């Protein structure tokens, strides 16, 4: 099996119905799919590749030589131990947001990544509208929920969070001893990944099998986070994924994520709860069996997630419900 690849340009043509169905299947049956012809220019994507790789070499690579995973691996090898590096990832990573400090030495990095983030945010908002339509929700429902009900975006405190994580996975002399990135589901909403098209390593869990998310040149990989699972009342599931370390090549990975405001209340959409009137009666009787997920503040969920990111996700929902 291969992760679905969808031609996004056909969304506006005579194949719109088929394309919508492909995206629905990607969300419902996979939790992962890849978009090609998504409207982001190849010229911009080539610049992103160049400045992100240059940034790692100029500003990050030397620091990784003294990083915790590197030191832990060296200690295991020096001691001739059979152990593995536990509790850390073989990853160099930093975060880009609208209000944090960005790397400053690499020529063109800030300008290129700011332009790229703007395009990715538009694509994330378009993807949420497609999810609304496929789920039978009013247009803008998911985005409004992520912005704590503020559809006009008038209050900055309610604003959804859009971040970009720039990661590099350097070659490892003993890849069997480390994990590139430990298996997890993503906490937030819609994740848009620009992965390396030469160095693989990303895998997703499909049933009981780990599948490679095959590199496709200039594709944007979409995956759904835990909050989409909750809002859809389980129709769309967040997918487990991981990154394997490799012995050759430095893997580039740029993940952008559109997440709810920490103040946003997240709950299953009433339209997706079967027999809404009956559910309302059951709620009064203390029976909420038709509701698969609790209502909670996203900030509370993140408090739980930070402690349980690499553990089974179902207990997170129970924990946040108790809060």
């Amino acid at each position: 099996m291969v992760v679905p690849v969808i031609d996004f340009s056909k969304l506006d043509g005579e194949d719109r119905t088929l394309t919508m169905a492909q995206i629905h299947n990607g969300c419902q049956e996979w939790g992962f799919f890849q978009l090609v012809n998504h409207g982001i220019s190849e010229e911009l994507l080539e610049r992103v590749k160049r400045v992100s790789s240059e940034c790692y070499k100029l500003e990050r690579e030397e620091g990784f030589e003294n990083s915790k995973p590197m030191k832990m691996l060296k200690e295991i090898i020096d001691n001739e131990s059979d152990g593995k590096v536990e509790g850390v990832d073989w990853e160099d990573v930093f975060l880009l947001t609208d209000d944090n400090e960005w790397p400053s030495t690499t020529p063109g990095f800030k300008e290129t990544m700011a332009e790229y983030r703007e395009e990715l945010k538009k694509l994330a908002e378009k993807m949420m509208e497609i999810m609304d339509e496929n789920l039978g929700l009013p247009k803008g429902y998911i985005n409004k929920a992520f912005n704590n009900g503020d559809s006009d975006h008038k209050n900055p405190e309610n604003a959804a969070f859009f971040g970009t994580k720039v990661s590099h996975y350097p070659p490892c002399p003993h890849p069997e001893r480390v994990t590139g990135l430990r298996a997890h589901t993503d906490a937030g909403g819609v994740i848009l990944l620009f992965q390396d098209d030469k160095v693989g390593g990303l895998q997703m869990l499909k049933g009981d099998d780990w599948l490679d998310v095959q590199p496709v040149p200039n594709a944007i990989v979409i995956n759904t986070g835990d909050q989409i699972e909750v809002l859809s009342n389980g129709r769309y599931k967040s997918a487990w994924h991981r990154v394997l370390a490799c012995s050759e090549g430095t893997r580039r990975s740029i993940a952008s994520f559109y997440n709810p405001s920490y103040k946003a209340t997240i709950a299953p959409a009433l339209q997706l709860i079967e027999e809404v009137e009956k559910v309302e009666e059951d709620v009064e009787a203390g029976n909420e069996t038709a509701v698969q997920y609790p209502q909670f503040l996203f900030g509370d969920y993140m408090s739980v997630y930070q402690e349980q990111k690499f553990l089974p996700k179902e207990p997170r929902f129970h924990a946040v419900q108790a809060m």
Side-chain angles (χ1 to χ4, degrees):
M1 289 189 291
V2 295
V3 175
V5 178
I6 300 171
D7 186 342
F8 202 59
S9 67
K10 294 185 177 181
L11 191 68
D12 298 322
E14 60 183 17
D15 291 328
R16 185 179 191 278
T17 299
L18 173 60
T19 306
M20 291 290 290
Q22 290 173 334
I23 294 173
H24 182 61
N25 177 72
C27 292
Q28 189 169 45
E29 301 298 331
W30 289 80
F32 261 81
F33 55 94
Q34 305 202 53
L35 296 182
V36 295
N37 300 323
H38 39 62
I40 302 171
S41 73
E42 289 191 8
E43 185 275 333
L44 174 57
L45 294 177
E46 290 299 328
R47 277 193 284 132
V48 169
K49 293 178 188 178
R50 176 175 55 80
V51 298
S52 60
S53 295
E54 290 176 353
C55 179
Y56 175 70
K57 292 177 181 177
L58 288 173
E59 305 188 49
R60 311 287 302 186
E61 188 172 26
E62 185 176 345
F64 191 79
E65 294 299 320
N66 297 312
S67 66
K68 184 176 180 179
M70 184 70 80
K71 290 178 179 178
M72 292 173 68
L73 178 61
K74 185 178 185 301
E75 182 178 353
I76 289 172
I77 300 304
D78 288 348
N79 293 335
E80 299 182 353
S81 167
D82 293 330
K84 295 183 178 182
V85 175
E86 304 285 356
V88 296
D89 302 308
W90 192 263
E91 175 189 39
D92 175 81
V93 59
F94 60 90
L95 181 67
L96 304 178
T97 69
D98 290 335
D99 55 5
N100 73 335
E101 185 175 349
W102 293 20
S104 58
T105 302
T106 305
F109 180 86
K110 291 183 178 181
E111 297 81 2
T112 297
M113 295 308 293
E115 182 180 350
Y116 173 75
R117 275 171 45 80
E118 184 177 346
E119 292 298 315
L120 264 288
K121 188 174 183 181
K122 292 177 185 176
L123 183 57
E125 291 171 342
K126 178 65 174 177
M127 186 55 58
M128 287 187 286
E129 289 184 358
I130 293 171
M131 291 179 183
D132 288 335
E133 185 173 344
N134 274 333
L135 290 168
L137 299 173
K139 183 177 181 179
Y141 183 96
I142 295 175
N143 201 351
K144 183 178 179 180
F146 281 10
N147 284 275
N148 197 26
D150 184 4
S151 57
D152 297 325
H153 307 286
K154 293 181 178 179
N155 187 347
E157 293 184 357
N158 291 325
F161 177 80
F162 186 74
T164 299
K165 189 182 82 164
V166 181
S167 301
H168 285 85
Y169 302 90
C172 179
H174 299 278
E176 74 284 355
R177 301 289 189 97
V178 306
T179 304
L181 181 60
R182 288 164 284 173
H184 65 287
T185 65
D186 289 324
V190 178
I191 298 85
L192 308 94
L193 173 69
F194 185 31
Q195 71 163 339
D196 202 298
D197 53 16
K198 295 180 180 178
V199 183
L202 176 63
Q203 294 186 325
M204 65 155 293
L205 187 63
K206 174 71 170 168
D208 295 325
D209 299 319
W210 285 101
L211 305 179
D212 292 332
V213 181
Q214 69 276 13
V216 176
N218 290 331
I220 299 295
V221 181
I222 305 292
N223 72 281
T224 49
D226 295 345
Q227 308 315 303
I228 295 295
E229 179 169 331
V230 174
L231 283 167
S232 69
N233 202 31
R235 296 196 185 186
Y236 292 169
K237 293 287 199 304
S238 59
W240 286 88
H241 53 286
R242 66 186 184 185
V243 176
L244 303 180
C246 62
S247 59
E248 297 182 3
T250 296
R251 173 182 169 79
R252 181 199 68 253
S253 175
I254 305 173
S256 298
F257 38 92
Y258 197 108
N259 287 357
S261 160
Y262 268 49
K263 294 187 175 183
T265 298
I266 303 298
L270 286 178
Q271 295 91 330
L272 302 180
I273 300 173
E274 297 177 354
E275 300 178 28
V276 173
E277 295 81 8
K278 181 178 184 301
V279 170
E280 291 174 346
E281 294 175 359
D282 288 346
V283 168
E284 293 179 2
N287 178 14
E288 300 182 50
T289 55
V291 183
Q292 302 300 317
Y293 299 85
Q295 175 177 295
F296 52 81
L297 291 178
F298 180 63
D300 289 342
Y301 186 82
M302 284 303 297
S303 296
V304 173
Y305 181 84
Q306 288 167 2
E307 299 293 330
Q308 301 183 18
K309 177 177 179 178
F310 303 108
L311 301 176
K313 63 181 174 179
E314 289 76 12
R316 300 178 209 153
F317 299 123
H318 294 303
V320 80
Q321 184 173 30
M323 296 173 67

